Amino acid sequence: MRHLAATLTLLAVPLAAMADPLPSWNDTATEQGIVDFVTRVTDPASDDFVPEMARIAVFDNDGTLWSEQPLYFQGLFALDILREKAKADPAILKDDILKAAAAGDMKAVTAGGEAGLVEILDVSHSDISVEDFQSSARAWLTTAKHPTSGLTYAEMTYQPMVELLSYLRDNGFRTYIVSGGGVDFMRSVARDAYGIPTWQVIGSQGDTTYEVKDGVPTLWKDGGIRFIDDAAGKPVGIDAAIGQRPIFAAGNSDGDFQMLEWTTAGAGPRFGMIIHHTDAKREFAYDRDSPVGKLARALDQADAHGWHVVDMARDWSRVWTGEK
């Protein structure tokens, strides 16, 4: 009779609850820390219980949810678009950084830093409707191939992080992207790639205006930069879009420092996570000296803030969602 009761109890447990919610995470202290935190904040009997309305998790995108080498994916997209525009109108290549970009000189583009990249984005991402831009970005992300992996860019999302997003949502969290990438670029695939709706994507924004073109009400991308959602801009962007401090934050670079700092400084249970790119064999290994995704200050202060550092080589059994 006792065995029958135990069997019936097991049958009553949903299969999703019995399965490993994070199958691409190795059984390490990092995975255990995630599960322990989620268990504590979702258990009504726990002193750390957090009501669902306060379970907000924010994630950087580049280098945290998908790869970012040898250049941010949006930067590579911008280079392709710039080359197409330059074929039709060479006059748009007004200075050396634009000429280098159109010629595919990655060294010169990287040396141009953030200012050079912003200029390239300004030229390549303007004079187009928001709808057409998102359609173009979606097509590029799902068909263009990365120069070293051979995967499409959309296939280079991190499977462990996709699982983490689902795990949090299954436990009553709302998951947001908070990234320096352009908001329209990320929104083009956010739902399909991560299960995150467009209204839960916070990113950098250019100048956009409303116009009626040929009788059609249209949102038009005019170029320029209205808001950069990076570094200290991330908490500002979160406050403007969400109006509430998250309890969970994940990033991978010093550009995420303030978001992690602000999130974990709040009262009650908090979780900060840094993705450390340590896997040169399966992905890329970089941190302090990288011009893309530099990680120094946040890594040095992780222990002091109680942030969990994900060692990609050690903690993940699989990297990209598109791996065969």
Side-chain angles (χ1 to χ4, degrees), residues 110-171:
T110 303
E114 184 176 301
L117 184 57
V118 166
E119 184 178 3
I120 294 166
L121 293 173
D122 186 25
V123 175
S124 62
H125 287 33
S126 62
D127 198 28
I128 187 173
S129 73
V130 170
E131 288 183 356
D132 287 345
F133 176 85
Q134 289 189 3
S135 177
S136 175
R138 187 183 306 111
W140 184 87
L141 284 164
T142 56
T143 59
K145 297 291 183 71
H146 187 271
T148 60
S149 74
L151 299 171
T152 66
Y153 293 95
E155 291 175 321
M156 292 177 69
T157 55
Y158 297 134
Q159 179 64 23
M161 298 303 286
V162 172
E163 292 168 4
L164 176 57
L165 290 167
S166 294
Y167 176 54
L168 290 173
R169 289 193 292 266
D170 287 344
N171 282 277

Side-chain angles (χ1 to χ4, degrees), residues 260-290:
L260 286 158
E261 182 180 50
W262 182 62
T263 296
T264 57
R270 303 276 155 173
F271 196 99
M273 171 188 289
I274 295 173
I275 307 300
H276 190 192
H277 293 263
T278 58
D279 200 330
K281 183 177 180 180
R282 295 186 300 176
E283 202 234 12
F284 309 98
Y286 60 97
D287 45 42
R288 298 179 184 278
D289 298 322
S290 177

Side-chain angles (χ1 to χ4, degrees), residues 18-311:
M18 297 172 62
D20 180 1
L22 302 171
S24 298
W25 291 74
N26 291 323
D27 186 14
T28 64
T30 304
E31 181 192 34
Q32 191 57 55
I34 294 169
V35 174
D36 286 349
F37 176 79
V38 172
T39 300
R40 285 188 290 111
V41 301
T42 58
D43 180 1
S46 169
D47 291 337
D48 288 332
F49 176 71
V50 175
E52 281 198 27
M53 66 180 300
R55 293 180 209 159
I56 295 172
V58 291
F59 292 79
D60 171 56
N61 187 47
D62 296 305
T64 300
L65 296 180
W66 68 19
S67 291
E68 61 180 359
Q69 296 285 351
L71 189 68
Y72 302 118
F73 289 178
Q74 187 170 359
L76 295 171
F77 168 72
L79 293 178
D80 280 356
I81 297 300
L82 180 67
R83 281 191 285 267
E84 289 181 13
K85 285 191 169 186
K87 288 179 182 177
D89 181 12
I92 68 170
L93 304 179
K94 297 177 180 179
D95 58 29
D96 290 342
I97 190 67
L98 292 174
K99 291 175 183 176
D105 186 347
M106 294 297 296
K107 186 176 181 180
V109 170
T110 303
E114 184 176 301
L117 184 57
V118 166
E119 184 178 3
I120 294 166
L121 293 173
D122 186 25
V123 175
S124 62
H125 287 33
S126 62
D127 198 28
I128 187 173
S129 73
V130 170
E131 288 183 356
D132 287 345
F133 176 85
Q134 289 189 3
S135 177
S136 175
R138 187 183 306 111
W140 184 87
L141 284 164
T142 56
T143 59
K145 297 291 183 71
H146 187 271
T148 60
S149 74
L151 299 171
T152 66
Y153 293 95
E155 291 175 321
M156 292 177 69
T157 55
Y158 297 134
Q159 179 64 23
M161 298 303 286
V162 172
E163 292 168 4
L164 176 57
L165 290 167
S166 294
Y167 176 54
L168 290 173
R169 289 193 292 266
D170 287 344
N171 282 277
F173 280 77
R174 280 176 288 157
T175 55
Y176 290 79
I177 294 175
V178 181
S179 184
V183 67
D184 294 320
F185 185 76
M186 295 185 291
R187 282 175 175 169
S188 72
V189 292
R191 188 184 296 275
D192 290 339
Y194 308 123
I196 294 177
T198 55
W199 56 88
Q200 288 176 204
V201 178
I202 303 167
S204 297
Q205 301 174 31
D207 293 321
T208 303
T209 54
Y210 172 80
E211 301 179 38
V212 177
K213 290 182 174 288
D214 298 324
V216 179
T218 305
L219 288 175
W220 198 254
K221 294 176 73 67
D222 296 316
I225 301 296
R226 184 161 63 86
F227 173 69
I228 297 180
D229 190 51
D230 192 39
K234 291 199 172 190
V236 174
I238 292 169
D239 182 65
I242 306 175
Q244 191 169 330
R245 193 193 304 248
I247 68 169
F248 187 113
N252 78 295
S253 74
D254 287 350
D256 302 309
F257 183 92
Q258 290 88 343
M259 179 173 74
L260 286 158
E261 182 180 50
W262 182 62
T263 296
T264 57
R270 303 276 155 173
F271 196 99
M273 171 188 289
I274 295 173
I275 307 300
H276 190 192
H277 293 263
T278 58
D279 200 330
K281 183 177 180 180
R282 295 186 300 176
E283 202 234 12
F284 309 98
Y286 60 97
D287 45 42
R288 298 179 184 278
D289 298 322
S290 177
V292 175
K294 179 180 179 181
L295 176 64
R297 181 188 182 193
L299 188 61
D300 290 340
Q301 296 191 30
D303 286 345
H305 288 282
W307 300 337
H308 298 253
V309 178
V310 175
D311 183 322

